Every structure is written in structure tokens, then in C-alpha cells.
């Protein structure tokens, strides 16, 4: 492997560290000699001394990507390069024989290889192989009941991980600080593209069926954002954060999540998901949800944004459209010709002409001229042994 060439460098001391700078020489015509000028910081000596390993700045690595494959150390006045492999090891480290636990992480490696997760992490964290570090920390959290980050070095010492070099808690803290909104959006966009590509290779259409649901996370903290008292699903009388996720039905991979204030009802969250959905460019999807999301506003928003949906409707509410349709079909729901012998329940499907406003204007009432009609399908299921569990499902 060819050793990289460096431009002229100089070490400068600050009150807290030693920094590496490039410079250019300029000619002083009066003094008839050259002098150093145009200094630009390109790295930091991580040892805190004038000699030691150098951590290059991102802009310098972008200009000289070959430096990513080496560990560079300053020794005296020289800069010594040691080749580094894909896992972050130097050649001398790789030669050291060490027994590591690898069964569980090998299984996780196979799951990552069969899914878009690895490629998505690489797109979200391309610099300094941070995607391998993120993946290693994820392995630690998955495999340890007590996921206290301070215990990561002990775990890594005995476990084969994607990133083999040591990671101290301070280094992990820096990695967590890099996980910002843009990295999250890049990750989910890449997962979405990977899932669609897998479906095409399998000969399926590129439509994604997404399960939509939320949960409440109880918290004793009083300084975290979005923590408020609300309808706590665990009924433990603690403040909570509502977490809503979209999960691809076949792979089980989440492709979107968002937190909401603890006092925001489920029925209001779909509207925000659709808005974020448009911003993230997630197209050709069908949302599947339970009974908490079947409000009229959510159905209208799905129609306006061309989002398919399959919503489980609330039954047993007197005077509701759901109950009216069930009452109309009671005789059909007892007809043996309507029975599905696989599920052992009676099924009826009705086509509904649904009227909605495609482009609503605030503070302006809709009229027949501005309204549109969509064809929706109401699927009613009835189990004669469990009549209280009769249900209706709305689809578009």
C-alpha cells in the first residue's frame, strides 16, 4: 500500500492542545527570503503532546481520502504511517492472536447483510468509518440487558465487533453527538430505497406496506424535551413521551419514527406523519393501523396525499357510520355463502363513495364545486361466537 504524501506541516500549541497546520511559503522581496504564511488547521495531535497520533479534520480527509486507510503518528519531526484494515485494526494489531466471543455478533452480521441496514448506516455516517462504530454500539445495546455505555470497553474487549479498535465512553459520546436530524433522514431514506430494491429483485411491486403504531415511554426525567403527562398506556402515572413508528411489514424494519408530546392523542399524529412523509419522499405506500387512527381528518389527509390506507374502525358506537353499515349488513353477515372457511368468520365488503375536500382553505367552507369523491371499501368481519369482536376495516 502506497504511503500518502503530506503537504508542508507545522505543529502549533494552544492552551488546550497541539494542532497541525498546513502553510504556504511567500517571498519577501525586501528581506530577500521566504516566510511561512496562509496557515490552515488540518488536524489535532490526540496525545495532548507535540508527538503522537494525529486526528485529521474532515475537510482535510475530503481533500486527501487516502489518509483514511492509515494511522498517522508524529515522531520527532517525522510523520509515520501505519496501514489500517476495514475493521479499524493496524497490521500489528491484526497479527496479535486473541480469543473473542463471536456467535451472537456473527448472527447479527448475517441479519445486517440480508437487510439494507449496513448500506444505510454507511450512507448516513461515511466519515472515519463511523458506521462501523455505530453498528458496534448497536450490537452492545442489543446483546446486553444492562446497556450502560460505561461497560462497552469491557464488552468490546471480549467480543468480536464490526469496529475492532477500542472505543472509550468519551469516543462513544462523540459518535452520539453526530447522530443529528440529517443523518437520521439519510439513514431512513437509504433503508427505504434498499427495501424497494429488494422487492424489485424478488419480482414484487415497489409498494411498501407500513404498519403504523405508537407507544408511550414513561420517564422519571423532568428535563427531557417532549416529556409531558398524558394518556399513559402503561398506566403508571408517570410523564411520558409518545413514540410513533412506521415499520415495513415484511422485513420488520422501521423506516420512520417521530416523538410527540405526551398529551398528543394518537388520532392527531397521522396528519404529521403524512406531512413528514411528503418531505422525506416516501412514495407508493399503504398505511396499516389499529383503531386509534381512523378519524375523518386522517382519512381525508391520506386521500389528499395519495397515500393508501387500511384502517381498523371503531365499532359499537351508536349513530356512527361504522355501526350503521354493520346494522345494514346483519342478514348478510349470517349468510353461509359469506363465510370464509379459512378464517372461520363471515365477511362483507361494501364500496363507499367518500366526499372530501382535496385542497382545503383555512377559514373557508367547502362547497360541492370544490369537493371530490373517492371510492373506498369497507370490509366487515363477523364471528358469531364472539359478536362483541365484530370489526370493520376501511381501505383505499
Amino acid at each position: 500500500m502506497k504511503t500518502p504524501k503530506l503537504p508542508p506541516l507545522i505543529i502549533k500549541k494552544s492552551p488546550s492542545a497541539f494542532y497541525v497546520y498546513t502553510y504556504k511559503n511567500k517571498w519577501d522581496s525586501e528581506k530577500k527570503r521566504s516566510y511561512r504564511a496562509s496557515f490552515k488547521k488540518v488536524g489535532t495531535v490526540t496525545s495532548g503532546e507535540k508527538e503522537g497520533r494525529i486526528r485529521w479534520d474532515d475537510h482535510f480527509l475530503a481533500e486527501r481520502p487516502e489518509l483514511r486507510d492509515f494511522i498517522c503518528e508524529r515522531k520527532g519531526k517525522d510523520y509515520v504511517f501505519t496501514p489500517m484494515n476495514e475493521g479499524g485494526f493496524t497490521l500489528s494489531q491484526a497479527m496479535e492472536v486473541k480469543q473473542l466471543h463471536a456467535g451472537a455478533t456473527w448472527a447479527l452480521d448475517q441479519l445486517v447483510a440480508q437487510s439494507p441496514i449496513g448500506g444505510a448506516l454507511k450512507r448516513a455516517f461515511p466519515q472515519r468509518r463511523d458506521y462501523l462504530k455505530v453498528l458496534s454500539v448497536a450490537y452492545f445495546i442489543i446483546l446486553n440487558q444492562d446497556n450502560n455505555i460505561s461497560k462497552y470497553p469491557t464488552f468490546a474487549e471480549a467480543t468480536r465487533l464490526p469496529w475492532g479498535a477500542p472505543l472509550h465512553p468519551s469516543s462513544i459520546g462523540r459518535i452520539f453527538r453526530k447522530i443529528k436530524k440529517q443523518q437520521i433522514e439519510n439513514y431512513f431514506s437509504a433503508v427505504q430505497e434498499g427495501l424497494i430494491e429488494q422487492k424489485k429483485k424478488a419480482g414484487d411491486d415497489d409498494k411498501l406496506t407500513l404498519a403504523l403504531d405508537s407507544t408511550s415511554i414513561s420517564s422519571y426525567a423532568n428535563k427531557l424535551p417532549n416529556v409531558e403527562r398524558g394518556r399513559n398506556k402503561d398506566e403508571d402515572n408517570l410523564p411520558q413521551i409518545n413514540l410513533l413508528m412506521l415499520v415495513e411489514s415484511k422485513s420488520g424494519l422501521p423506516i420512520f419514527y417521530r416523538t410527540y408530546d405526551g398529551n398528543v392523542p394518537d388520532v392527531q399524529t397521522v396528519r404529521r406523519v403524512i406531512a413528514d412523509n411528503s418531505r422525506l419522499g416516501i412514495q407508493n405506500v399503504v398505511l396499516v393501523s389499529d383503531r386509534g387512527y381512523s378519524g375523518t381528518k386522517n382519512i381525508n389527509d391520506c386521500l389528499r396525499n395519495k397515500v393508501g390506507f387500511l384502517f381498523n374502525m371503531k365499532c359499537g358506537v351508536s349513530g356512527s357510520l361504522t355501526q350503521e353499515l354493520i346494522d345494514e349488513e346483519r342478514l348478510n353477515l349470517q349468510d353461509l355463502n359469506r363465510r370464509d372457511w379459512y378464517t372461520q368468520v363471515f365477511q362483507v365488503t361494501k364500496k363507499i363513495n367518500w366526499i372530501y375536500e382535496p385542497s382545503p382553505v383555512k377559514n373557508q367552507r367547502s362547497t360541492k364545486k370544490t369537493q371530490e369523491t373517492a371510492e373506498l371499501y369497507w370490509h366487515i368481519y363477523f364471528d358469531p361466537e364472539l359478536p362483541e369482536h365484530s370489526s370493520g376495516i376501511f381501505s383505499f
Side-chain angles (χ1 to χ4, degrees):
M1 186 179 294
K2 190 176 180 180
T3 303
K5 292 184 179 180
L6 295 172
L9 299 175
I10 188 172
I11 304 295
K12 288 189 174 186
K13 183 180 180 182
S14 75
S16 58
F18 284 85
Y19 296 113
V20 185
Y21 289 82
T22 59
Y23 63 89
K24 291 183 180 180
N25 286 323
K26 287 191 176 181
W27 180 257
D28 189 329
S29 57
E30 294 183 359
K31 296 182 179 181
K32 306 297 182 182
R33 63 181 177 84
S34 63
Y35 65 96
R36 292 171 181 168
S38 302
F39 292 97
K40 184 178 180 182
K41 178 178 171 295
V42 296
T44 305
V45 184
T46 59
S47 64
E49 304 291 338
K50 199 168 185 178
E51 296 184 2
R53 182 170 174 174
I54 295 174
R55 183 177 68 246
W56 301 111
D57 292 345
D58 292 341
H59 69 85
F60 192 61
L61 289 173
E63 296 171 1
R64 298 171 178 269
E66 65 275 10
L67 293 175
R68 299 181 189 275
D69 298 325
F70 294 85
I71 291 175
C72 180
E73 295 178 280
R74 178 179 168 87
K75 295 183 178 180
K77 295 184 179 180
D78 297 324
Y79 293 88
V80 179
F81 289 92
T82 306
M84 186 169 56
N85 67 11
E86 179 69 16
F89 290 106
T90 63
L91 183 61
S92 59
Q93 289 171 332
M95 293 295 291
E96 296 177 2
V97 177
K98 192 174 183 180
Q99 185 175 0
L100 299 172
H101 299 291
T105 56
W106 179 87
L108 292 174
D109 285 343
Q110 305 313 303
L111 292 174
V112 170
Q114 295 167 19
S115 74
I117 292 176
L121 284 174
K122 193 170 185 178
R123 183 191 293 187
F125 305 96
Q127 297 175 338
R128 299 179 182 175
R129 299 186 180 88
D130 283 340
Y131 64 97
L132 294 176
K133 301 173 187 177
V134 172
L135 199 58
S136 297
V137 174
Y139 282 13
F140 165 74
I141 292 173
I142 292 170
L143 296 175
N144 283 268
Q145 293 181 349
D146 181 2
N147 55 19
N148 188 328
I149 290 299
S150 64
K151 298 181 179 180
Y152 178 88
T154 303
F155 171 81
E157 185 70 22
T159 310
R160 186 194 64 78
L161 294 168
W163 180 260
L167 278 178
H168 297 287
S170 59
S171 302
I172 298 172
R174 285 194 293 270
I175 294 171
F176 284 160
R177 287 193 290 273
K178 291 181 181 180
I179 305 176
K180 299 179 180 178
K181 187 174 182 179
Q182 187 59 54
Q183 281 69 37
I184 293 172
E185 291 186 0
N186 290 344
Y187 170 80
F188 283 127
S189 294
V191 169
Q192 174 202 345
E193 293 173 9
L195 289 172
I196 292 174
E197 187 63 29
Q198 285 183 350
K199 289 173 73 69
K200 288 181 177 178
K201 287 182 179 179
D204 301 330
D205 60 36
D206 59 356
K207 181 172 290 187
L208 295 178
T209 302
L210 307 179
L212 166 71
D213 202 3
S214 66
T215 187
S216 60
I217 303 173
S218 301
S219 174
Y220 288 94
N222 52 17
K223 293 185 178 180
L224 290 176
N226 296 329
V227 177
E228 293 187 20
R229 291 196 177 274
R231 300 181 304 156
N232 194 300
K233 296 183 179 181
D234 295 330
E235 298 182 356
D236 52 17
N237 198 32
L238 288 172
Q240 67 183 44
I241 300 174
N242 281 349
L243 178 68
L244 184 140
M245 299 183 71
L246 291 177
V247 179
E248 203 273 326
S249 60
K250 186 175 182 180
S251 66
L253 288 177
I255 69 166
F256 175 85
Y257 81 92
R258 181 169 175 171
T259 57
Y260 298 96
D261 294 342
N263 60 0
V264 176
D266 289 347
V267 73
Q268 296 179 19
T269 59
V270 175
R271 308 193 73 183
R272 300 185 187 181
V273 169
I274 293 173
D276 288 334
N277 185 19
S278 300
R279 179 172 54 82
L280 293 174
I282 305 176
Q283 300 176 350
N284 202 13
V285 301
V286 176
L287 299 181
V288 181
S289 77
D290 61 15
R291 300 180 185 183
Y293 304 91
S294 55
T296 301
K297 291 181 179 179
N298 290 336
I299 292 173
N300 290 342
D301 282 338
C302 287
L303 293 172
R304 291 176 188 127
N305 291 276
K306 311 300 182 186
V307 174
F309 61 87
L310 197 64
F311 289 162
N312 196 348
M313 308 299 291
K314 292 182 179 179
C315 302
V317 180
S318 179
S320 67
L321 177 59
T322 307
Q323 196 58 46
E324 287 181 6
L325 291 170
I326 291 175
D327 292 340
E328 290 175 5
E329 299 296 330
R330 285 201 179 275
L331 291 177
N332 287 329
L333 289 172
Q334 298 175 27
D335 185 350
L336 289 178
N337 293 321
R338 301 279 188 170
R339 182 169 183 140
D340 179 80
W341 297 101
Y342 180 76
T343 60
Q344 299 296 311
V345 297
F346 293 88
Q347 301 178 10
V348 173
T349 296
K350 292 196 70 172
K351 184 166 70 173
I352 304 295
N353 290 322
W354 184 273
I355 300 173
Y356 70 104
E357 180 68 51
S359 303
V361 178
K362 189 175 182 180
N363 299 326
Q364 183 175 320
R365 296 180 62 182
S366 63
T367 63
K368 290 184 178 181
K369 291 183 179 180
T370 60
Q371 291 174 345
E372 289 188 7
T373 301
E375 290 186 350
L376 305 184
Y377 293 89
W378 206 293
H379 311 282
I380 305 172
Y381 301 89
F382 174 69
D383 188 338
E385 296 181 5
L386 299 170
E388 68 275 13
H389 290 163
S390 301
S391 63
I393 295 179
F394 218 2
S395 68
F396 167 66

